[in-house]
């Protein structure tokens, strides 16, 4: 069983429903999830390009589409609102889904909207995607700018409510500002290791140690450009090198999966962050290919217990502690 801590599923739901389609998860995702033994994940509200120019409008569109999809698909979905819902989803053989937010630019300066999103079902959020906003600074922002005073208030409210704080996409200053202005475990839902692939979206060993110190969690990201700078080495074996490094630095109890598959997204969205044409990490292109990853882990000596921890048990601990 695998819990994927980052998927842009609500983006696909919003795009396809705007074209008149329904049952997007059943028709476009469920088969791959079943083939990949994926039992659920964090599905994020993300103000996807080109809609990032009007984030408040896009957030409302996504909430509307997400709510409609959930109401029409309660036979396959259980939204995790409290920790007991994870096991209920397993018992009911439904997808265990956390509603997340990949950036909170859509709330503008009104942090009280976090309360509204929480009542809607939000249990996870990052302050930013790649952009600067009124709360904090993503990896494409000013490296000297971090979390704002308003952002600190947002972090306090998130911890108070039981919303998991995510540092993926944060620039370095924002990462350390979050570390300094939170008290509970936080996660990097979909990031790799800068020591193996030196890009801004990956994390340094010092950041990995800080997440471990806070009893947090990092999810291995399958995006090929975060695997290796050499395109010829953007493959499954080099991806699993990141997993090995995470385990070496943090210990097996703080590592999991946040695959960030984007094979289903449209080009006007992916062109904003993808360089050239790509089919993803070779050997691990979409959610149906997780058996390749598990086999590579077995070949490297990961025990059955370790694989279960990394696949879902470590994140289940985060759910139990924070939600």
């Amino acid at each position: 069983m695998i819990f994927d801590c980052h998927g842009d599923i609500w983006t696909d739901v919003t795009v396809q429903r705007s074209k008149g389609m329904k049952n997007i998860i059943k028709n476009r995702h469920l088969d791959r999830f079943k083939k990949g033994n994926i039992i659920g994940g964090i599905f994020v509200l993300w103000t996807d390009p080109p809609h990032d120019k009007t984030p408040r409008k896009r957030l409302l569109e996504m909430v509307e589409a997400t709510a409609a999809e959930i109401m029409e698909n309660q036979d396959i979905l259980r939204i995790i609102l409290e920790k007991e819902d994870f096991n209920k989803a397993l018992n009911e053989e439904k997808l265990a889904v956390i509603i997340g937010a990949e950036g909170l630019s859509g709330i503008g300066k009104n942090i009280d909207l976090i309360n509204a999103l929480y009542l809607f079902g939000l249990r996870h959020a990052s302050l930013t995607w790649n952009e600067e906003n009124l709360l904090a600074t993503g990896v494409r922002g000013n490296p000297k700018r971090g979390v704002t005073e308003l952002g600190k208030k947002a972090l306090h409210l998130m911890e108070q409510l039981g919303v998991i704080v995510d540092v993926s996409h944060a620039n370095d200053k924002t990462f350390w500002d979050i570390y300094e202005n939170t008290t509970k475990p936080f996660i990097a839902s979909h990031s790799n290791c800068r020591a193996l692939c030196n890009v801004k979206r990956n994390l340094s060993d010092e950041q990995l140690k800080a997440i471990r110190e806070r009893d947090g969690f990092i999810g291995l990201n399958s995006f090929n450009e975060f695997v290796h700078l050499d395109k010829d080495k953007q493959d499954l074996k080099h991806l699993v090198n990141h997993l090995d490094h995470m385990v070496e630095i943090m210990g097996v109890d703080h590592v999991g999966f946040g695959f960030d598959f984007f094979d289903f997204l449209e080009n006007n969205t992916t062109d904003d962050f993808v360089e050239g044409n790509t089919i993803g990490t070779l050997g691990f292109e979409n959610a149906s290919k997780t058996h390749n990853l598990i086999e590579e882990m077995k070949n490297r000596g990961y025990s059955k217990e370790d694989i279960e921890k990394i696949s879902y048990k470590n994140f289940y601990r985060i759910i139990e502690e924070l939600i």
Side-chain angles (χ1 to χ4, degrees):
M1 297 190 302
I2 291 173
F3 190 88
D4 180 359
C5 291
H6 185 81
D8 295 305
I9 306 301
W10 301 136
T11 295
D12 194 45
V13 164
T14 303
V15 170
Q16 301 305 326
R17 291 187 77 94
S18 72
K19 300 176 181 179
M21 290 182 62
K22 293 185 177 182
N23 299 315
I24 314 305
I25 295 175
K26 283 178 182 173
N27 293 330
R28 288 172 55 84
H29 299 278
L30 191 57
D31 184 58
R32 286 199 304 275
F33 289 160
K34 287 181 177 179
K35 288 179 180 177
N37 199 22
I38 291 176
I39 58 170
I42 301 178
F43 296 176
V44 293
L45 304 168
W46 169 45
T47 50
D48 51 314
H51 306 285
D52 51 334
K53 304 299 186 295
T54 54
R56 181 72 164 264
K57 178 176 180 289
R58 189 56 168 176
L59 176 61
L60 289 174
E61 291 171 349
M62 295 200 74
V63 166
E64 178 184 353
T66 296
E69 183 78 6
I70 291 170
M71 293 302 292
E72 293 171 3
N73 289 275
Q74 294 186 59
D75 56 324
I76 63 166
L77 301 176
R78 175 171 279 277
I79 305 303
I80 298 177
L81 302 176
E82 53 190 13
K83 58 187 178 182
E84 292 81 5
D85 288 324
F86 185 88
N87 286 325
K88 287 180 181 177
L90 294 183
N91 292 334
E92 296 165 353
E93 297 185 347
K94 296 180 180 180
L95 290 172
V97 175
I98 290 179
I99 298 175
E102 188 172 26
L104 288 171
S105 57
I107 72 171
K109 63 181 180 180
N110 186 2
I111 64 170
D112 285 340
L113 281 175
I114 295 173
N115 290 310
L117 290 170
Y118 180 84
L119 291 174
F120 171 69
L122 188 83
R123 294 297 183 270
H124 155 279
S126 57
L127 295 180
T128 67
W129 182 52
N130 290 332
E131 83 289 344
E132 289 185 13
N133 60 31
L134 295 176
L135 304 177
T137 313
V139 293
R140 292 183 181 173
N142 181 351
K144 296 181 180 179
R145 182 183 188 269
V147 176
T148 67
E149 290 304 313
L150 192 65
K152 293 174 184 177
K153 292 178 181 179
L155 289 170
H156 176 74
L157 178 57
M158 289 162 66
E159 286 202 316
Q160 186 179 45
L161 289 172
V163 175
I164 299 167
V165 175
D166 190 347
V167 297
S168 286
H169 285 283
N171 72 357
D172 285 357
K173 188 169 191 324
T174 291
F175 177 99
W176 292 111
D177 285 350
I178 290 173
Y179 175 79
E180 294 292 339
N181 288 278
T182 55
T183 59
K184 296 181 179 180
F186 59 85
I187 72 169
S189 62
H190 57 301
S191 296
N192 289 341
C193 305
R194 204 174 291 176
L196 302 185
C197 181
N198 188 14
V199 296
K200 292 180 180 180
R201 270 285 284 109
N202 288 341
L203 299 180
S204 68
D205 288 356
E206 290 73 21
Q207 289 171 318
L208 297 181
K209 291 173 183 177
I211 294 171
R212 179 196 64 194
E213 177 190 324
R214 191 61 66 79
D215 203 22
F217 172 97
I218 182 172
L220 181 75
N221 191 327
S222 75
F223 182 37
N224 58 297
E225 293 179 18
F226 302 160
V227 172
H228 205 284
L229 295 178
D230 184 344
K231 290 187 178 182
D232 293 334
K233 296 180 179 179
Q234 293 174 351
D235 55 27
L236 179 61
K237 291 185 181 297
H238 286 87
L239 174 64
V240 179
N241 288 347
H242 285 266
L243 185 67
D244 292 344
H245 189 77
M246 292 172 185
V247 171
E248 179 182 355
I249 298 295
M250 305 176 72
V252 73
D253 294 326
H254 301 281
V255 178
F257 299 140
F259 295 132
D260 198 13
F261 292 120
F262 61 91
D263 52 294
F264 51 85
L265 295 179
E266 298 191 346
N267 288 343
N268 66 337
T269 293
T270 59
D271 285 349
D272 185 82
F273 60 87
V274 173
E275 293 185 7
N277 296 322
T278 181
I279 57 171
T281 293
L282 189 62
F284 198 55
E285 295 86 358
N286 61 58
S288 71
K289 303 290 187 71
T290 58
H291 60 278
N292 293 340
L293 172 63
I294 300 302
E295 282 303 310
E296 180 65 21
M297 291 174 66
K298 290 178 180 177
N299 291 340
R300 298 195 186 198
Y302 285 90
S303 67
K304 179 181 178 182
E305 180 184 8
D306 288 343
I307 292 173
E308 286 182 348
K309 284 184 176 182
I310 294 169
S311 294
Y312 73 96
K313 287 184 176 179
N314 289 340
F315 191 73
Y316 180 60
R317 172 182 62 81
I318 296 293
I319 293 173
E320 285 193 308
E321 290 185 20
L322 297 181
I323 292 181

